[in-house]
């Protein structure tokens, strides 16, 4: 298949322009600071449910982990469809419900139906808000406030700039609700660091992505990084049709490591809190023959890894989360192109899943 120079042009330009979208979403969130603080005001015990589909479910996993960690409020992430079919497994009967729907398009049927179902419960006990990339979508029927990532919109099917900018938006919401000014300031300082990662590590992503010895990829992440590991896995599948899976770091020893051999790439999204336990897992996988790509704030003590991407941001750990994304997205993009695939046209996929009646 020859796609000439145009294969993946939308995807690549969206990946490369994401720092601008990160910059734009922080003031957009802050322009409704009072509304977001009041939405999450904990005058009575409430459960926070964050939901979406595909990428935006994975974003919900990361955002819920951060929201609970910084606010102390209970927050769970759930696929939108689960709220439709198994609501009792996810929703407790006592506390009030705060639902945060996350959807790039604002038109995914399962997410709209989940909003409709939640709004049909005891209205006094349910409040709904949304994070999206488009204004004026059907989600706004049920949600207030709505954070629109001003430059998150995309032509591509696979989410890249949209996902990362909505992540920055969710982190800004967590920062506003917890009144952590240092988190908000750190988010505002992310764009040049993201730009540096895009410029500096594109070649590395191209050489690793073009390595034809690699047959499968595992993404490992703990805490809020697990949702990002899942998103890395999804990009690899959607764009490059590569077998890929995501695990919490130490879960990888409990069975999945049996798949590791010299045709395996293991991508480690290192944390600060669990760094030593996580690096131990990676070292063991190296001994089993895997190639290792490690993303971390610092490079010290990682000399044994094949490739290390250091952030060197000096930012608080929660603010660093978007920095894992550019290299993971470039890796999937370059692997797709090296396999002769067009990342702009993933097999069997539509940008939005719309269901009939
Ligand atoms: C979510 C989503 C994408 C996926 C696919 C279909 O849409 O599932 O994650 O890549 O293209 O849509 P949205 O609700 O966030 O718009």
């Amino acid at each position: 298949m020859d796609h000439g120079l145009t294969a993946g042009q939308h995807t690549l330009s969206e990946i490369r322009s994401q720092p601008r979208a990160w910059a734009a979403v922080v003031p957009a969130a802050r322009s409704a600071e009072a509304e977001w603080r009041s939405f999450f005001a904990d005058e009575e015990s409430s459960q926070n449910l964050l939901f979406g589909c595909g990428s935006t479910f994975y974003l919900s996993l990361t955002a819920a982990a951060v929201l609970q960690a910084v606010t102390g409020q209970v927050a769970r992430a759930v696929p939108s469809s689960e709220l439709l079919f198994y609501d009792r497994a996810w929703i407790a009967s006592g506390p009030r419900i705060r639902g945060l729907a996350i959807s790039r398009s604002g038109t995914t049927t399962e997410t709209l139906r989940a909003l409709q179902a939640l709004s049909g419960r005891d209205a006094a006990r349910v409040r709904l808000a949304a994070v999206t990339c488009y204004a004026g979508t059907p989600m706004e029927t049920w949600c207030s406030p709505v954070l629109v990532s001003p430059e998150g919109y995309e032509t591509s099917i696979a989410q890249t700039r949209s996902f990362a900018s909505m992540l920055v938006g969710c982190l800004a919401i967590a920062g506003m609700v917890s009144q952590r000014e240092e988190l908000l300031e750190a988010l505002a300082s992310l764009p040049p660091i993201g730009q540096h990662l895009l410029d500096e590590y594109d070649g590395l992503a191209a050489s690793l992505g073009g390595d034809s010895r690699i047959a499968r990829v595992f993404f490992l992440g703990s805490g809020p990084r697990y949702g990002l590991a899942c998103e890395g896995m999804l990009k690899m599948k959607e764009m490059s049709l590569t077998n890929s899976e995501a695990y919490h770091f130490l879960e990888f020893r409990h069975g999945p490591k049996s798949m590791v051999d010299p045709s395996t790439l293991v991508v480690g999204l290192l944390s600060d809190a669990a760094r030593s336990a996580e690096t131990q897992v990676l070292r063991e996988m190296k001994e089993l023959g895997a190639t290792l790509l490690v993303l971390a704030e610092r490079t010290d003590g990682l000399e044994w890894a094949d490739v290390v991407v250091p952030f060197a941001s000096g930012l608080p750990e929660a603010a660093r989360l978007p920095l894992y994304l550019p290299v993971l997205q470039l890796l999937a993009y370059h692997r797709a192109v090296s396999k002769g695939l067009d990342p702009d046209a993933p097999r069997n996929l539509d940008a939005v899943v719309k269901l009939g009646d």
Side-chain angles (χ1 to χ4, degrees), residues 53-56 103-106 108 157-159 234 238 350-353:
C53 300
S55 286
T56 38
S103 170
R104 170 178 66 177
S105 63
T108 295
I157 289 176
Q159 300 195 10
L234 189 65
E238 289 181 324
D350 297 311
V352 184
V353 176

Side-chain angles (χ1 to χ4, degrees), residues 4-354:
L5 292 173
T6 57
Q9 61 169 331
H10 294 303
T11 305
L12 186 59
S13 87
E14 286 156 5
I15 293 171
R16 292 199 53 78
S17 60
Q18 65 186 299
R20 277 208 319 274
W22 301 1
V25 75
V26 176
R30 295 209 82 167
S31 69
E33 182 153 355
E35 289 89 332
W36 283 108
R37 295 238 308 254
S38 133
F39 180 78
F40 281 101
D42 218 3
E43 69 288 335
E44 198 186 325
S45 121
S46 302
Q47 53 184 323
N48 295 313
L49 291 169
L50 287 76
F51 54 96
C53 300
S55 286
T56 38
F57 165 56
Y58 298 142
L59 176 47
S60 302
L61 285 172
T62 295
V66 174
L67 191 67
Q68 177 158 331
V70 302
T71 64
Q73 297 179 6
V74 175
R76 293 180 87 183
V78 51
S80 302
S81 55
E82 288 284 291
L83 290 175
L84 292 174
F85 304 128
Y86 298 98
D87 58 338
R88 274 196 256 171
W90 296 97
I91 302 174
S93 53
R96 295 165 64 118
I97 298 166
R98 267 193 297 254
L100 181 64
I102 308 180
S103 170
R104 170 178 66 177
S105 63
T107 58
T108 295
T109 306
E110 288 137 272
T111 299
L112 296 181
R113 288 191 185 158
L115 284 166
Q116 191 172 25
L118 287 171
S119 74
R121 300 169 82 97
D122 177 2
R125 305 191 67 74
V126 176
R127 281 183 293 163
L128 300 168
V131 175
T132 182
C133 292
Y134 296 90
T137 69
M139 280 207 307
E140 293 185 6
T141 315
W142 300 282
C143 299
S144 177
V146 175
L147 171 58
V148 179
S149 167
E151 297 192 31
Y153 55 89
E154 278 166 339
T155 306
S156 303
I157 289 176
Q159 300 195 10
T160 55
R161 172 173 78 191
S162 59
F163 182 99
S165 68
M166 289 190 288
L167 170 60
V168 176
C170 289
L171 296 171
I173 291 168
M176 292 188 298
V177 173
S178 61
Q179 300 192 47
R180 284 183 51 175
E181 200 55 43
E182 80 284 3
L183 176 53
L184 291 158
E185 277 169 23
L187 294 175
S189 69
L190 282 174
I193 307 170
Q195 190 61 54
H196 169 75
L197 292 169
L198 286 162
D199 295 340
E200 188 74 20
Y201 294 102
D202 184 57
L204 170 116
S207 65
L208 209 46
D211 187 340
S212 58
R213 290 168 307 170
I214 292 169
R216 68 186 70 83
V217 186
F218 293 102
F219 295 87
L220 306 185
S222 311
R225 282 158 299 278
Y226 176 66
L228 304 183
C230 291
E231 175 63 4
M233 170 269 289
L234 189 65
K235 292 309 91 168
M236 204 38 100
K237 285 195 173 96
E238 289 181 324
M239 288 192 216
S240 80
L241 303 180
T242 299
N243 286 311
S244 54
E245 293 179 45
Y247 292 95
H248 297 92
F249 259 97
L250 272 61
E251 280 295 294
F252 198 58
R253 288 198 187 99
H254 297 273
K257 72 170 187 178
S258 55
M259 299 297 293
V260 172
D261 65 17
S263 69
T264 306
L265 173 65
V266 176
V267 182
L269 284 63
L270 278 197
S271 68
D272 290 351
R275 183 182 166 107
S276 120
E278 292 166 351
T279 51
Q280 191 51 44
V281 173
L282 293 176
R283 290 193 85 134
E284 287 168 31
M285 297 316 129
K286 174 94 182 135
E287 277 161 31
L288 294 176
T291 299
L292 298 184
L293 165 61
V294 185
L295 296 99
E297 173 68 3
R298 313 182 321 267
T299 56
D300 55 287
L302 299 174
E303 301 74 23
W304 42 270
D306 297 285
V307 185
V308 182
V309 173
F311 303 148
S313 69
L315 299 179
E317 197 168 21
R320 273 184 240 146
L321 293 167
L323 299 175
Y324 293 93
L325 293 166
V327 172
L328 300 190
Q329 294 164 350
L330 285 171
L331 186 66
Y333 168 84
H334 284 296
R335 182 158 171 98
V337 171
S338 83
K339 287 176 74 174
L341 299 167
D342 181 357
D344 287 353
R347 190 172 75 181
N348 305 339
L349 295 183
D350 297 311
V352 184
V353 176
K354 290 191 177 167

